[in-house]
Amino acid sequence: MKAWWRVGIKRSRLAMLGFVLGTCFVFSAGCARRAGKMVRFEGMARPVAGVPTDVASAPAQYGAFGRQIEGIEVVAGGEVRRARAAAGAPPAPEEAAPPAPPSPMVPGGGEKETQPSPIVDLTAKKRLVIYTAQFSILVANVEDSMKTLLEKIKQWDGYVQTSDLKRVTFRVPAEKFDRVVEEISQMGVVTNKQIQAEDVTRQYTDLQLRLEVAEASRKRLMALLEKAQKTEDLLKIENEIRRLTEEIERMKAELRTLADRIAYSTITVELSAKAAEVRRPRPQGSYFTWVNQIGAENVLRRF
Amino acid sequence: MSCAVFDPSRSVHPPARISLPVIVACLCGLLLLTGGCATFHMPTPENFIKGKSSRANFRALTSEEDRLFVQHFAVLEKQNIKFWASAVRNNLVEQRGYTLVEEGEFKTDRGLVGHRFLFEISMGEVPYRYLLVVFASRSWLRQHIYTAEFLCEKKNFEKSAPAVEKALKQFQPRRGRLGERK
């Protein structure tokens, strides 16, 4: 009897252990399966294009920066993704949502903008800086130097904003700014050089947060609009939605401008003709040789 | 007995002739005689002793070693005394940094007009006065320029300068036509 009792206890212990181990295995296997379908984001959960997950359908988990703005996709935590439309990937559940009202700046809606979009990497470590530079350079031939400069702007993947005979304002990708500044400095004698770096990280993030809040408010108002019964309430809600929509579009435009200014540095170069420099020879005395033979020093020397 | 008869056709002595080398030698001697003379006349100023001089320059100095140096230059460029005075002023003031104290016309007793400069300079923190008188005359081929330079310490200038200027009044160039004479 005693042996049977002891054997019974041992069996129940083994069963408990087996149950615990089995539960752990099942749980870990489930987690591993889910993890295999998701890309992990250091900061906040963010779905990858084309991989539908139930997490992606919860906008509240996206975080403040995980939002695509008019083709510029900015993701917090160091992850940067191109616009899904440009990549040809199927729309994520987020984009499958009702489209935003058309932008006043871009006919047909801002999300379908076709121009190449700059990608801004907004991370806690990397600052968002707008670089601008102004140069005044003395060159031997203004016309030739201007031609050379215009050619170089093309090579730098830049474009000319304004130009005249002596002055050109152009924009180049921000990552080439240092190289461009160095090459411009070697064009001639630099008489004036100004480089400005404007940190707009805070301005950018503030704007994005305000945009988030405004969009959330608009969603709530849209929900209220569906439930509203009275005409007076309907009008009030519609007015508020209109106001919010205008504000959202204005903020989006502002973000676009900022992103563009961050992605492309603006450089102004003013060229001036340098007079041919002739080194004046050290005075060797008078042309009239007899004049060189007079003077106090000659009196002392020849006396 | 034979009698010797003088026959001029049989004379062994040829008729007297002046050979070309002799003529050349004479001419050279004449040139040396005339060219060897001093190119100007400059009396030694009072309280000065004449130093080593040649036909184109004259040296004299005082016991304080104030120095008078007269030179003659023959140049190809022909210009008037104003031009040469300007050239001298430009060189000494603009290029060598001399301080011009005064300048003006200088006329000799014989009416030769020159240009007088008085400069002040400093050598080893000692102030010096440098008096310069320039004369010019022209010959057929060349311009003749005469310079009289007197250098002394500033403190000695008042003592020695009058004797120098008095001697310079008697200066006579011996080359060229004195175009500047008045």
Side-chain angles (χ1 to χ4, degrees):
Chain A
M1 287 294 286
K2 193 178 179 182
W4 176 85
W5 182 75
R6 283 185 179 173
V7 170
I9 287 181
K10 278 183 182 174
R11 279 182 181 173
S12 64
R13 279 181 182 172
L14 281 170
M16 286 280 284
L17 186 65
F19 177 74
V20 169
L21 285 172
T23 311
C24 287
F25 176 75
V26 169
F27 184 75
S28 60
C31 286
R33 202 185 58 158
R34 287 179 72 129
K37 286 182 181 178
M38 285 181 65
V39 173
R40 291 176 183 215
F41 293 85
E42 286 175 14
M44 295 153 198
R46 180 80 170 91
V48 176
V51 183
T53 62
D54 48 354
V55 177
S57 61
Q61 294 178 27
Y62 276 26
F65 306 143
R67 182 165 292 276
Q68 187 175 355
I69 301 160
E70 299 293 338
I72 305 160
E73 190 176 5
V74 183
V75 182
E79 289 288 335
V80 180
R81 296 276 177 266
R82 289 196 176 278
R84 292 189 180 96
E94 179 195 20
E95 287 164 356
S103 166
M105 293 178 70
V106 184
E111 296 292 323
K112 292 179 181 176
E113 201 172 9
T114 52
Q115 69 178 42
S117 55
I119 298 163
V120 180
D121 186 3
L122 180 63
T123 65
K125 291 177 185 175
K126 196 169 182 179
R127 312 295 297 178
L128 297 178
V129 181
I130 297 170
Y131 290 102
T132 51
Q134 288 91 37
F135 287 88
S136 297
I137 303 174
L138 289 177
V139 292
N141 189 317
V142 173
E143 200 176 336
D144 290 352
S145 297
M146 185 59 82
K147 277 181 188 172
T148 311
L149 181 59
L150 293 174
E151 286 294 318
K152 278 188 174 178
I153 291 167
K154 284 179 190 170
Q155 289 172 14
W156 295 326
D157 299 326
Y159 63 93
V160 175
Q161 265 194 334
T162 58
S163 79
D164 57 28
L165 290 172
K166 291 183 173 180
R167 190 185 174 95
V168 62
T169 301
F170 60 94
R171 305 192 69 201
V172 289
E175 64 267 19
K176 293 182 180 174
F177 182 76
D178 289 340
R179 185 162 71 95
V180 171
V181 164
E182 195 181 327
E183 285 191 36
I184 289 172
S185 301
Q186 291 167 1
M187 282 183 66
V189 180
V190 178
T191 55
N192 186 33
K193 180 179 177 180
Q194 289 181 353
I195 294 173
Q196 293 101 28
E198 187 188 353
D199 190 341
V200 291
T201 313
R202 186 168 178 172
Q203 189 184 346
Y204 199 96
T205 51
D206 284 354
L207 204 57
Q208 276 190 322
L209 284 170
R210 281 168 52 206
L211 185 64
E212 290 281 334
V213 171
E215 284 186 331
S217 299
R218 191 172 64 175
K219 273 183 183 174
R220 282 197 297 274
L221 284 171
M222 295 288 274
L224 282 173
L225 187 66
E226 286 175 3
K227 293 175 187 172
Q229 299 294 326
K230 292 180 183 176
T231 315
E232 191 183 348
D233 292 344
L234 280 170
L235 285 172
K236 276 183 182 176
I237 293 167
E238 274 183 359
N239 279 338
E240 190 61 22
I241 288 172
R242 193 180 301 118
R243 188 189 65 77
L244 273 174
T245 306
E246 282 173 8
E247 196 178 336
I248 286 166
E249 292 308 320
R250 187 185 54 77
M251 284 191 283
K252 281 182 178 177
E254 206 172 327
L255 273 175
R256 270 201 307 274
T257 310
L258 263 181
D260 179 60
R261 287 177 67 200
I262 292 162
Y264 278 80
S265 303
T266 308
I267 298 172
T268 302
V269 177
E270 191 173 357
L271 300 173
S272 308
K274 179 177 67 172
E277 192 176 341
V278 177
R279 287 187 78 182
R280 187 180 174 176
R282 193 170 160 229
Q284 298 289 323
S286 175
Y287 169 80
F288 310 109
T289 51
W290 68 270
V291 175
N292 297 322
Q293 295 177 43
I294 62 169
E297 55 272 43
N298 287 310
V299 171
L300 289 171
R301 189 166 56 83
R302 296 178 64 190
F303 213 88
Chain B
M1 227 178 116
S2 62
C3 179
V5 179
F6 175 73
D7 183 1
S9 63
R10 286 189 167 194
S11 172
V12 292
H13 301 287
R17 281 186 190 171
I18 302 170
S19 64
L20 189 64
V22 173
I23 294 169
V24 171
C26 289
L27 282 173
C28 286
L30 204 65
L31 277 171
L32 278 172
L33 280 171
T34 53
C37 297
T39 54
F40 56 88
H41 166 70
M42 175 74 196
T44 307
E46 198 177 340
N47 297 323
F48 277 69
I49 187 168
K50 189 176 176 183
K52 186 184 172 185
S53 301
S54 68
R55 52 183 284 272
N57 56 50
F58 171 89
R59 293 177 177 87
L61 71 165
T62 65
S63 55
E64 286 91 7
E65 296 195 9
D66 301 334
R67 298 160 193 221
L68 174 66
F69 188 32
V70 184
Q71 298 182 84
H72 165 245
F73 303 99
V75 295
L76 291 171
E77 301 93 352
K78 293 183 178 179
Q79 263 297 351
N80 58 18
I81 188 68
K82 280 185 183 174
F83 178 88
W84 296 121
S86 175
V88 167
R89 188 191 308 109
N90 178 58
N91 183 262
L92 294 182
V93 176
E94 300 296 331
Q95 292 190 28
R96 297 198 221 175
Y98 286 30
T99 305
L100 182 62
V101 178
E102 58 184 53
E103 69 172 315
E105 198 177 88
F106 186 90
K107 197 173 176 183
T108 64
D109 291 342
R110 294 204 166 199
L112 177 66
V113 177
H115 200 91
R116 177 184 179 275
F117 297 96
L118 179 62
F119 296 100
E120 190 162 305
I121 52 171
S122 177
M123 284 192 280
E125 297 186 0
V126 179
Y128 276 77
R129 283 279 167 106
Y130 173 66
L131 176 72
L132 171 66
V133 181
V134 182
F135 298 103
S137 68
R138 285 186 196 179
S139 68
W140 182 47
L141 289 173
R142 291 184 174 190
Q143 169 103 53
H144 298 275
I145 292 164
Y146 301 91
T147 59
E149 301 165 85
F150 174 58
L151 179 70
C152 69
E153 281 188 41
K154 189 179 178 182
K155 61 182 182 183
N156 296 337
F157 185 75
E158 296 298 326
K159 191 171 73 176
S160 307
V164 172
E165 296 205 23
K166 189 178 174 185
L168 278 172
K169 290 274 182 188
Q170 298 169 46
F171 175 81
Q172 284 179 46
R174 287 181 176 162
R175 291 287 183 275
R177 179 168 49 87
L178 302 178
E180 305 295 333
R181 193 190 292 268
K182 280 191 179 176

